[in-house]
Amino acid sequence: MESRKTRFTRWGFIFATVGSAVGLGNIWKFPYITGEYGGGAFVLVYLLTIMFVGISILIAEMFLGNYGKSDAVSTFEMIGNELPEKKPSMRYLGFMTFNGLIIMTFYSVVIGWIFYYIYSAINGLPTTVSEAETEFSTLIGENIWTQIFFHTFATLTILHFVNGGIKKGIEKLNNLLIPSLLVIMVGLLIYSMTLPAFGDSFKFLFYPEWDKLSSEAFIRAVGHSFFTLSLGMGAIITYSASVPNSINLTKSALTVGFFDTVIALVAGLVIFTFLFQYGEEPSKGAGLVFISMPVIFSQMGEIGSVISVLFLSALAMAGLTSAVSLVEPAVLYVINRFNMSRFRATISMGFVYWLIGIFAILSYSTTYGETFSLFGKPIFDILETTTDSLLLPLSGIFIALVTGYAIRKVDLKKLQIEMGDVMFRVWYFSIRVISPIAVLFLMLNLFGVIEL
Ligand code: TRP
């Protein structure tokens, strides 16, 4: 067991948790789904869900980690054993830890694309949309070895920091990258404020047009608020196992929620300003960052290459700090339960996701795409959608229910003191009733059982 000995510093914990939350979800995904679903109304639903469901579950995960002070499996087992009817089988809930490795199979591939784009931006940017589209589709469809190379490079970088452990690896990486990321994002924000299209961008994000809000948009907003706060796989549980004792969990959760939301909004403001400034449409889909943005950067002239590299570096930093939080929970579990050294645990967990990641790469290729598809869908998409729409929300419900019903109310005293009576009551109600029902609703709707 190593989790009891190694502790974050107070800021180390905040940076690492912000690092986990702020990821590709904020800078790549949030702007493009906001674009697809029409802006303001979508953003408002997203903000409300973060406030009323996301933050509650974030506090619950932090509490569970601090309570169990171990990996997620051991924590759930301990909570099960404390029940009057003793249920050690609750440990199986801890296997949500492996959701992280499933996410990593494609997350690492996307970080690989970002590395490739940094390299390619240094060598010159595409000048037309069709050129950019060709570059992206050639990379995904034809250049399997290039992708494997950058996926491997991303993996080795991530594993290097996970192998360093909480203090020497993860805390150090986050203490360096998170402030850098903040500086780059603020810089980009200030630059885009000088462009005339900033006003339109602001309007697009913050003036809700209700008729654009479909029920699908509503559900995507709820689902995304889970992904973006790193909920539902034990990442927060695992980091919170190593918090310094005196830390205020509620304040930490609010800080993380605040930074995560602000970075997503800043990324949105910056990207839409650039898009509107250069006459592009906001509804470009997943290729927004990889197809539209390079063209826009090249239209900016000289300064474009610099901004492009800064933007892509911010994206890479955000991705890396999230990736370590996706791998660490499984590594800590293997160390604790199988008595493995950190090095061996890191290598073996890394190998598993790296290998499946190669299948994900092949599933997008023109030559092998069909072989690596299931039910006519590329493995890449299957990995992404099962985690996003099934495993994370399901685990989120369990986290809410365990905190709300399996933990005795007296043990929640720490939170009650931190929050004060009124806010505690609101939180407790959210964890026991609102959050589970809201998420269940979301899942039933996704699977077509009910229609909103
Ligand atoms: N929150 C990260 C993002 O927005 C991704 C992430 C990191 C994550 N750890 C997680 C998602 C745990 C779900 C669960 O990109």
Side-chain angles (χ1 to χ4, degrees):
M1 293 266 177
E2 57 161 58
S3 56
R4 283 163 207 269
K5 293 178 292 192
T6 40
R7 293 250 164 93
F8 284 115
T9 61
R10 186 182 292 258
W11 276 105
F13 173 67
I14 300 283
F15 280 149
T17 319
V18 169
S20 169
V22 175
L24 303 181
N26 301 60
I27 306 181
W28 164 64
K29 206 165 166 188
F30 172 74
Y32 96 70
I33 47 178
T34 302
E36 278 184 338
Y37 292 112
F42 175 87
V43 174
L44 195 62
V45 175
Y46 162 82
L47 291 177
L48 290 175
T49 332
I50 296 263
M51 272 169 64
F52 291 106
V53 179
I55 299 276
S56 303
I57 298 187
L58 183 61
I59 294 174
E61 274 211 35
M62 283 191 179
F63 175 83
L64 293 181
N66 186 238
Y67 186 73
K69 295 208 169 34
S70 190
D71 59 275
V73 178
S74 309
T75 297
F76 282 112
E77 186 176 61
M78 176 185 124
I79 295 169
N81 277 328
E82 283 172 357
L83 290 172
E85 62 275 20
K86 288 219 184 303
K87 284 220 170 73
S89 56
M90 255 175 72
R91 82 169 80 89
Y92 293 113
L93 290 179
F95 287 129
M96 66 173 69
T97 288
F98 291 98
N99 294 348
L101 294 188
I102 306 177
I103 295 178
M104 273 312 288
T105 60
F106 60 86
Y107 211 84
S108 167
V109 174
V110 179
I111 296 176
W113 294 347
I114 298 166
F115 282 153
Y116 166 83
Y117 268 85
I118 292 179
Y119 156 84
S120 124
I122 292 171
N123 289 315
L125 297 164
T127 49
T128 61
V129 172
S130 78
E131 215 179 298
E133 269 167 1
T134 314
E135 181 174 1
F136 188 63
S137 60
T138 313
L139 174 69
I140 310 305
E142 315 297 330
N143 295 342
I144 297 172
W145 287 110
T146 311
Q147 285 186 85
I148 293 181
F149 174 81
F150 284 103
H151 165 54
T152 309
F153 183 66
T155 298
L156 291 176
T157 312
I158 293 156
L159 296 188
H160 169 77
F161 288 101
V162 174
N163 185 45
I166 288 283
K167 291 296 292 181
K168 290 202 203 99
I170 294 173
E171 179 163 338
K172 264 198 178 152
L173 175 81
N174 281 292
N175 285 353
L176 177 74
L177 293 193
I178 292 306
S180 318
L181 170 72
L182 291 177
V183 170
I184 296 178
M185 293 310 289
V186 170
L188 288 172
L189 178 67
I190 292 172
Y191 175 73
S192 49
M193 282 168 128
T194 66
L195 298 173
F198 185 78
D200 293 337
S201 170
F202 191 86
K203 229 177 165 174
F204 182 71
L205 280 177
F206 297 114
Y207 284 63
E209 289 179 45
W210 291 110
D211 47 327
K212 281 193 181 164
L213 192 73
S214 60
S215 70
E216 191 191 324
F218 190 87
I219 282 156
R220 287 296 296 265
V222 179
H224 183 64
S225 65
F226 256 76
F227 188 84
T228 193
L229 289 178
S230 298
L231 301 175
M233 66 138 289
I236 304 295
I237 294 181
T238 305
Y239 277 6
S240 310
S242 305
V243 294
N245 270 338
S246 59
I247 203 154
N248 183 317
L249 297 174
T250 310
K251 259 194 202 153
S252 309
L254 291 173
T255 311
V256 173
F258 173 79
F259 276 109
D260 187 71
T261 310
V262 167
I263 299 266
L265 296 176
V266 168
L269 280 171
V270 169
I271 289 177
F272 290 119
T273 304
F274 291 165
L275 282 179
F276 294 147
Q277 184 71 29
Y278 294 95
E280 291 259 358
E281 288 298 310
S283 54
K284 270 277 176 319
L288 193 65
V289 165
F290 296 110
I291 298 170
S292 303
M293 295 305 278
V295 183
I296 291 166
F297 290 133
S298 87
Q299 284 172 355
M300 289 176 178
E302 285 291 296
I303 197 174
S305 330
V306 179
I307 297 190
S308 172
V309 173
L310 282 179
F311 175 77
L312 288 165
S313 310
L315 198 55
M317 291 174 188
L320 288 173
T321 52
S322 297
V324 293
S325 81
L326 288 161
V327 181
E328 171 66 15
V331 168
L332 185 65
Y333 161 72
V334 175
I335 293 174
N336 285 348
R337 307 289 286 213
F338 297 96
N339 231 337
M340 227 187 240
S341 72
R342 179 164 273 273
F343 182 73
R344 290 187 67 179
T346 307
I347 296 286
S348 37
M349 294 302 105
F351 181 74
V352 171
Y353 89 68
W354 176 80
L355 190 66
I356 304 174
I358 291 181
F359 297 155
I361 290 175
L362 292 172
S363 76
Y364 271 175
S365 76
T366 32
T367 323
Y368 305 103
E370 251 172 61
T371 322
F372 290 91
S373 292
L374 288 172
F375 318 111
K377 270 186 140 195
I379 289 182
F380 191 111
D381 295 4
I382 292 181
L383 291 164
E384 193 180 353
T385 43
T386 37
T387 39
D388 223 22
S389 355
L390 180 68
L391 298 173
L392 296 181
L394 195 63
S395 310
I397 295 181
F398 288 135
I399 287 164
L401 294 178
V402 167
T403 314
Y405 296 95
I407 303 269
R408 287 174 311 167
K409 209 169 171 188
V410 287
D411 290 324
L412 296 170
K413 197 98 205 146
K414 178 174 167 60
L415 292 181
Q416 191 164 9
I417 293 168
E418 287 176 8
M419 292 183 199
D421 280 342
V422 177
M423 192 177 150
F424 179 77
R425 249 186 246 153
V426 174
W427 172 78
Y428 203 47
F429 186 65
S430 168
I431 280 298
R432 291 174 70 124
V433 183
I434 299 178
S435 299
I437 291 181
V439 181
L440 187 70
F441 214 59
L442 155 89
M443 289 179 65
L444 291 179
N445 190 291
L446 259 173
F447 293 100
V449 182
I450 53 165
E451 198 122 339
L452 271 185

